[in-house]
Amino acid sequence: MSHPLYVAFIWHQHQPLYKSPTKAQSGSQYYHLPWVRLHGTKDYLDLILILERYPRLHQTVNLVPSLILQLEDYIAGTAFDPYLELTLRPTEQLCDQHKRFIIEHFFDGNHHNLIDPHPRYAELYNTRLDEGEAWCFTNWQEQDYSDLLAWHNLAWIDPMFWDDPEIAAWLKQGRNFTLGDRQRIYSKQREILGRIIPQHKAMQNTGQLEVTTSPYTHPILPLLADTNSGRVAVPDMTLPKSRFQWAEDIPRHLQKAWDLYIDRFGTTPRGLWPSEQSVSPEILPDIINQGFKWICSDETVLGSTLKQFFHRDGAGNVQNPELLYKPYRLQTPAGDVSIVFRDHRLSDLIGFTYGSMPAKQAAADLVGHLQAIARMQRDRQSEQPWLVTIALDGENCWEFYSQDGKPFLDALYQTLSNEQRIKLVTVSEFLEQFPPTATIPGEQLHSGSWVDGSFTTWIGDPAKNRAWDYLTQARATLANHPEATEENNPEAWEALYAAEGSDWFWWFGAGHSSNQDAMFDQLFREHLYGIYKALNEPIPPYLRQPVEVHEASANSRPKSFIHPIIDGKGDEQDWDKAGRIEVGGARGTMHNSSPIQRLWYGVDHVNFYLRLDFKTAIKLGEDVPPELNLLWYYPDKTMHNSPAPLAQVPDTSPMNYLFHHHLEINLLTQSIQFQEAGEQNQWYPRASRAQVALNKCLELAVPWADLQIPPDSPLHLILVLSEEGHFCDYLPENALIPIELP
């Protein structure tokens, strides 16, 4: 029997619990950050409204309970955040502190897609960029602040709603916004927020949508069961001083999610998105006993479970598709539960890469991958149909798409609606028609998450471990008060659930950072305060100090995929997630006088990116040698390699390594020459589609296709300055740049 290729999209909608347990007053809830409100007007409703236009396509959306509760606070008009308070404040009542906050924070958002399309907003942004924050503070008038307050809120309203008469009038107005305008914009935000849950419920009732849930406040369930589970994937992991073992909290999170779901949607949930797709054998009985029918995780977890790494071919397609593209039945003494595993690369392409491509090209690329999988299914004559699971964050990526992703989704959905060999389904409707035939003993399931199949994003770092120790102490304090039940002391338990959420640990320590790290630190400690306060216990002195010092380090590794526009301007938002290495005056005596101040590097699924910042007043060809050479070193590949094709190269590490690719950039003409090493230490010219631009800085994009390797291959890079083919200097000092996926 010939089956179509079944595809299950799962969109995960989640925000951290921004509500402060210590600042609520007179019936109002204080939120430290505005992202529930702003993402609520931009990302949650339009995603399914676009889908509704294509009734043949079915999908799954996961709504985290703590997100729903926060949305409801804003809908009720009881939630206030500092951004909203300033939006609703008369400009004549803005103090100096308010004005500085507005100048610094009311441009938060991707300027290419949220600011640049709006002339007045872009005018204010470029003024801050060109003149500086101090100039704006000194020179801006009340109307400038009023317009900025209005535009920060307007820009986060999804373009799908721009045909609303009021919104269209504001967009046309452009400037000279009044307090009354800003108040009505806020009312429009609440109106949009109020449609989110009813629309999900209505589309679930028609069968086009399946709505799933997550543990109540998005905790990492395996770590609640036992923080020692971190050592399953990383045996030598440094663990917190105190072992956290409160498996009894797992059914509490699941029951609260279950009850909230029934109350809002009028039916029981079938699917559970384990927070961060984190699973372990220990959490399965509670999930099964609660009544969930299926869960989802990542291909890295399946690979570790089956001891089968999922290699991909040159086009990025999985070489063992019959193992990945099917559901499994997890068997435990408590019963069975189905599990699906997402295609990590296809999910990441939507999340991190397609936003930088033209919409139709990006949609065609994804459909092309699905068609290739469909051909493999047909060629292998599989008895059971395949299910490709594409699961990812459903809110943050759209900021990097034109028009919040609508052109991409329309192009994708239109193509899939006309493609008879591909059928989009909810996970539950596939499982009902094709129950899993493959089984995995529950105790064999790997303990890990979507991040490298481990828990290192949430535990193992000194700051993360310190936070776990604080949480362990607070949890033990609550346990010492058996009289404090959820019925008679809900404040203590709600504070505990909030502190057990995953987001705080994500931001602590190395690996992730934002311009709000200190606020996440404060929120975590506020939730711990709440436990002690509700129990009338003294607050430990250490909770009055940050978990870690929040200072930007000079050097950093890439934090996410980047998609810079190669124009030589060094756009700050294009590179803020890139790796960074300080060079001039920061890496020892050799480079104290280096004309290059710092270098930036990063990747996406299409290109490797490099940026060089020169010191001011530097003259190329005089202060900087005219030739920049990139030399790629591949530590784990067997291939032809050659010495650097330059004269007078020092016989010291790493310059005496053998390299496989060489790209020379003439800084004066911006021309490039690309070579590949061959037999007998020879170099051979190769074509290259690399892009280079030199203006305020040097920016470079080198396609992975030039290097003939996928972007997840380990490789290293060194930069060499030369003149007429003679070695002059190299950087970074005594090291290679490790090019790796963030």
Side-chain angles (χ1 to χ4, degrees):
M1 176 181 178
S2 177
H3 294 285
L5 178 70
Y6 291 92
V7 179
F9 280 87
I10 311 176
W11 304 102
H12 175 56
Q13 310 290 28
H14 164 61
Q15 287 291 327
L17 197 60
Y18 298 118
K19 183 190 302 186
S20 170
T22 62
K23 294 188 177 182
Q25 55 185 350
S26 64
S28 294
Q29 304 294 333
Y30 184 83
Y31 282 67
H32 281 292
L33 292 169
W35 304 120
V36 170
R37 175 172 57 88
L38 296 181
H39 279 288
T41 57
K42 191 176 77 67
D43 296 311
Y44 304 138
L45 181 58
D46 69 300
L47 186 71
I48 58 172
L49 288 177
I50 296 171
L51 177 68
E52 190 177 34
R53 298 174 177 176
Y54 302 90
R56 179 173 175 261
L57 310 182
H58 295 188
Q59 291 185 359
T60 302
V61 174
N62 185 68
L63 297 176
V64 176
S66 52
L67 170 64
I68 294 176
L69 292 174
Q70 293 183 94
L71 287 171
E72 291 174 346
D73 281 347
Y74 277 107
I75 295 166
T78 58
F80 288 90
D81 58 69
Y83 295 71
L84 178 57
E85 288 182 336
L86 291 173
T87 296
L88 301 179
R89 181 182 291 267
T91 51
E92 60 269 19
Q93 294 181 14
L94 295 175
C95 67
D96 289 352
Q97 182 181 356
H98 293 149
K99 292 177 180 178
R100 288 191 172 95
F101 184 90
I102 292 168
I103 293 169
E104 180 180 358
H105 292 291
F106 273 63
F107 297 103
D108 289 352
N110 181 277
H111 78 84
H112 294 302
N113 298 312
L114 292 180
I115 297 176
D116 293 352
H118 309 294
R120 174 58 170 157
Y121 201 7
E123 173 191 328
L124 295 167
Y125 175 75
N126 289 321
T127 300
R128 190 192 73 162
L129 203 62
D130 297 336
E131 304 293 343
E133 293 184 12
W135 186 95
C136 296
F137 176 75
T138 302
N139 292 279
W140 274 0
Q141 305 301 308
E142 286 184 8
Q143 190 59 60
D144 295 309
Y145 288 102
S146 185
D147 287 353
L148 179 53
L149 292 169
W151 269 113
H152 181 254
N153 288 277
L154 274 176
W156 279 84
I157 293 179
D158 190 86
M160 191 169 195
F161 309 125
W162 287 0
D163 59 357
D164 176 285
E166 279 192 288
I167 298 174
W170 291 322
L171 296 175
K172 183 179 180 180
Q173 176 181 334
R175 59 179 65 235
N176 299 323
F177 289 98
T178 65
L179 175 60
D181 291 327
R182 302 199 304 272
Q183 290 170 333
R184 290 196 299 276
I185 292 170
Y186 166 56
S187 296
K188 186 63 64 175
Q189 289 178 331
R190 289 175 58 196
E191 179 185 312
I192 294 171
L193 298 179
R195 297 171 57 191
I196 294 172
I197 301 304
Q199 182 68 27
H200 281 79
K201 182 179 180 180
M203 290 179 65
Q204 176 160 258
N205 290 342
T206 66
Q208 190 179 6
L209 203 65
E210 176 178 7
V211 182
T212 59
T213 190
S214 286
Y216 184 51
T217 58
H218 207 262
I220 305 296
L221 294 184
L223 295 179
L224 294 191
D226 189 352
T227 45
N228 281 11
S229 64
R231 283 188 171 157
V232 172
V234 185
D236 59 349
M237 172 182 283
T238 301
L239 292 170
K241 294 177 183 177
S242 302
R243 186 175 181 179
F244 192 98
Q245 282 183 292
W246 291 96
E248 66 194 69
D249 290 352
I250 294 175
R252 296 175 186 269
H253 279 278
L254 297 176
Q255 185 69 55
K256 289 184 75 66
W258 185 273
D259 293 343
L260 186 143
Y261 186 99
I262 293 174
D263 183 71
R264 301 322 190 264
F265 295 100
T267 185
T268 57
R270 298 182 61 82
L272 178 79
W273 176 296
S275 312
E276 306 293 357
Q277 298 184 340
S278 298
V279 295
S280 69
E282 291 75 20
I283 72 172
L284 296 179
D286 287 322
I287 292 172
I288 293 166
N289 290 333
Q290 185 59 60
F292 289 103
K293 302 303 180 185
W294 65 267
I295 59 176
C296 62
S297 192
D298 185 76
E299 71 174 58
T300 55
V301 172
L302 177 61
S304 296
T305 299
L306 302 180
K307 305 297 187 287
Q308 166 75 53
F309 183 78
F310 288 101
H311 295 278
R312 283 175 160 75
D313 61 23
N317 298 314
V318 171
Q319 293 180 336
N320 299 98
E322 66 280 355
L323 295 179
L324 178 59
Y325 300 137
K326 65 181 178 184
Y328 290 80
R329 182 186 300 113
L330 294 170
Q331 297 178 315
T332 80
D336 297 349
V337 64
S338 299
I339 185 170
V340 296
F341 297 93
R342 73 169 189 155
D343 184 305
H344 191 111
R345 186 172 187 273
L346 291 184
S347 304
D348 273 2
L349 284 172
I350 298 174
F352 301 108
T353 296
Y354 287 151
S356 65
M357 298 169 58
K360 290 185 177 180
Q361 178 185 342
D365 186 82
L366 180 56
V367 173
H369 283 293
L370 295 176
Q371 289 172 331
I373 298 169
R375 285 193 294 272
M376 287 190 286
Q377 176 184 236
R378 186 174 64 251
D379 293 344
R380 300 185 187 209
Q381 298 180 342
S382 173
E383 288 293 324
Q384 288 292 112
W386 288 3
L387 176 69
V388 177
T389 301
I390 299 175
L392 68 150
D393 181 293
E395 56 210 350
N396 292 314
C397 67
W398 306 119
E399 189 176 335
F400 302 92
Y401 281 73
S402 173
Q403 297 180 48
D404 208 48
K406 183 179 181 297
F408 165 75
L409 290 173
D410 273 328
L412 177 65
Y413 292 166
Q414 186 62 59
T415 303
L416 291 175
S417 293
N418 297 329
E419 174 55 84
Q420 298 301 315
R421 296 169 297 173
I422 299 173
K423 184 174 183 179
L424 269 59
V425 292
T426 70
V427 177
S428 285
E429 64 186 358
F430 180 87
L431 293 175
E432 289 168 2
Q433 188 174 359
F434 307 105
T437 56
T439 59
I440 296 175
E443 67 275 10
Q444 184 182 322
L445 180 66
H446 175 70
S447 297
S449 73
W450 71 270
V451 186
D452 298 330
S454 74
F455 300 128
T456 55
T457 297
W458 302 275
I459 195 170
D461 174 277
K464 300 177 193 292
N465 288 349
R466 193 177 308 119
W468 276 105
D469 286 331
Y470 292 176
L471 177 60
T472 302
Q473 183 59 46
R475 184 64 181 88
T477 301
L478 178 55
N480 289 333
H481 286 269
E483 78 285 355
T485 66
E486 287 200 73
E487 289 71 30
N488 63 33
N489 197 336
E491 294 82 8
W493 287 95
E494 287 296 319
L496 170 69
Y497 297 142
E500 288 180 333
S502 68
D503 299 279
W504 328 120
F505 302 93
W506 173 285
W507 296 111
F508 286 133
H512 297 100
S513 66
S514 71
N515 60 359
Q516 301 288 355
D517 284 4
M519 183 56 71
F520 288 117
D521 189 327
Q522 178 181 331
L523 270 164
F524 172 69
R525 289 180 290 112
E526 282 191 14
H527 293 309
L528 293 180
Y529 293 166
I531 300 173
Y532 292 99
K533 181 180 178 182
L535 298 172
N536 291 317
E537 288 278 0
I539 296 175
Y542 55 76
L543 288 185
R544 303 191 185 279
Q545 302 297 324
V547 174
E548 62 178 333
V549 177
H550 300 283
E551 293 180 352
S553 60
N555 296 346
S556 62
R557 296 170 61 186
K559 302 178 185 68
S560 182
F561 293 91
I562 63 172
H563 318 289
I565 297 172
I566 306 303
D567 56 12
K569 295 180 180 179
D571 185 282
E572 58 180 349
Q573 288 190 353
D574 284 357
W575 293 91
D576 63 350
K577 302 298 184 185
R580 182 180 65 207
I581 298 176
E582 296 292 329
V583 180
R587 295 299 300 270
T589 57
M590 178 177 177
H591 287 100
N592 276 345
S593 60
S594 172
I596 296 173
Q597 188 169 6
R598 76 181 53 83
L599 67 86
W600 307 73
Y601 64 98
V603 304
D604 61 17
H605 289 91
V606 180
N607 297 306
F608 158 73
Y609 300 99
L610 179 74
R611 166 182 157 190
L612 294 183
D613 292 348
F614 301 98
K615 290 185 175 179
T616 56
I618 288 297
K619 294 182 179 179
L620 299 177
E622 297 181 18
D623 304 308
V624 182
E627 299 155 2
L628 175 68
N629 301 269
L630 280 66
L631 290 158
W632 280 269
Y633 168 73
Y634 300 82
D636 301 327
K637 285 186 175 292
T638 302
M639 54 177 56
H640 295 298
N641 296 298
S642 299
L646 299 169
Q648 300 175 346
V649 174
D651 188 20
T652 57
S653 173
M655 281 309 307
N656 58 3
Y657 288 11
L658 300 180
F659 304 95
H660 186 67
H661 286 115
H662 169 227
L663 180 70
E664 178 191 309
I665 304 169
N666 187 302
L667 298 178
L668 300 180
T669 63
Q670 298 178 41
S671 58
I672 61 173
Q673 303 292 329
F674 187 56
Q675 300 183 89
E676 183 178 296
E679 296 180 348
Q680 299 178 346
N681 291 342
Q682 297 298 305
W683 287 96
Y684 297 92
R686 294 288 184 263
S688 173
R689 292 176 294 169
Q691 304 174 59
V692 62
L694 185 56
N695 191 332
K696 295 179 180 178
C697 62
L698 174 82
E699 292 181 312
L700 174 72
V702 181
W704 293 112
D706 283 7
L707 305 177
Q708 298 178 325
I709 58 169
D712 55 353
S713 296
L715 71 156
H716 296 78
L717 177 71
I718 191 168
L719 276 60
V720 182
L721 293 166
S722 64
E723 184 166 7
E724 295 184 355
H726 288 73
F727 172 88
C728 295
D729 199 356
Y730 76 93
L731 59 139
E733 182 179 355
N734 302 324
L736 296 168
I737 304 170
I739 310 303
E740 55 192 6
L741 288 181

